[in-house]
Amino acid sequence: MSDIVEIYTDGACKGNPGPGGWGALLVFKGVERELWGGEAETTNNRMELTAAIRALAELKRPCAVRLVTDSEYVMRGMQEWLPNWKKRGWKTAAKQPVKNADLWQQLDEQVNRHQVTWEWVRGHTGHPGNERADLLANRGVVEAKRQHIV
């Protein structure tokens, strides 16, 4: 088996919608890389998706990835809902447009470049990778707020 890149992702939002941030910790052969960013007006779900997209996009070649998230929305979306959304032309079972379809499509594109295994962890329970991703996401919130002070 090839070496696995471990990725821990998280999103944060102060108000929903409101200023938000995303964070990701990438670990490969003991080397760590931190990524983060934010937006002035967004939602928690959009930040969770953005964290996964940006982390996977950072990988320059196809990789085996273990992506750890505390977002059931992201994990269930990728593992359960996405195939049917695609079959229905990005509509829900109730024939409504899929929320955040732009980001789901970007995430699907990134996932298709790699061999991704999804793992869910409960947030804020002391999981080291998840706690680091949470700190990075909150750093993104702070920067988003700072950039939009009038």
Side-chain angles (χ1 to χ4, degrees), residues 26 33 35 52-61 110 113-114:
L26 288 70
R33 176 115 193 253
L35 305 171
I53 292 163
R54 297 293 290 271
L56 291 168
E58 196 67 19
L59 303 174
K60 302 300 181 223
R61 59 181 171 77
Q110 290 302 324
R113 293 177 49 229
H114 305 289

Side-chain angles (χ1 to χ4, degrees), residues 18-133:
W22 60 270
L25 173 65
L26 288 70
V27 183
F28 182 68
K29 293 184 177 180
V31 177
E32 296 182 348
R33 176 115 193 253
E34 295 180 333
L35 305 171
W36 68 90
E39 295 178 20
E41 188 70 13
T42 189
T43 66
N44 190 63
N45 283 342
R46 288 189 70 80
M47 292 294 91
E48 294 280 3
L49 287 163
T50 299
I53 292 163
R54 297 293 290 271
L56 291 168
E58 196 67 19
L59 303 174
K60 302 300 181 223
R61 59 181 171 77
C63 297
V65 175
R66 182 170 72 102
L67 198 149
V68 181
T69 178
D70 64 4
S71 171
E72 288 188 64
Y73 175 70
V74 170
M75 198 166 109
R76 290 187 68 201
M78 290 307 297
Q79 293 186 320
E80 297 173 33
W81 307 328
L82 190 80
N84 287 325
W85 288 340
K86 288 164 82 170
K87 278 185 211 158
R88 291 190 293 255
W90 294 97
K91 297 271 194 269
T92 65
K95 300 192 177 18
Q96 296 301 308
V98 171
K99 286 185 180 153
N100 305 314
D102 58 329
L103 295 179
W104 284 114
Q105 289 163 1
Q106 290 176 48
L107 182 54
D108 186 40
E109 198 174 289
Q110 290 302 324
V111 166
N112 287 330
R113 293 177 49 229
H114 305 289
Q115 184 184 336
V116 179
T117 303
W118 295 89
E119 185 176 319
W120 180 81
V121 295
R122 186 172 301 283
H124 312 289
T125 57
H127 185 287
N130 180 254
E131 295 294 336
R132 291 268 302 278

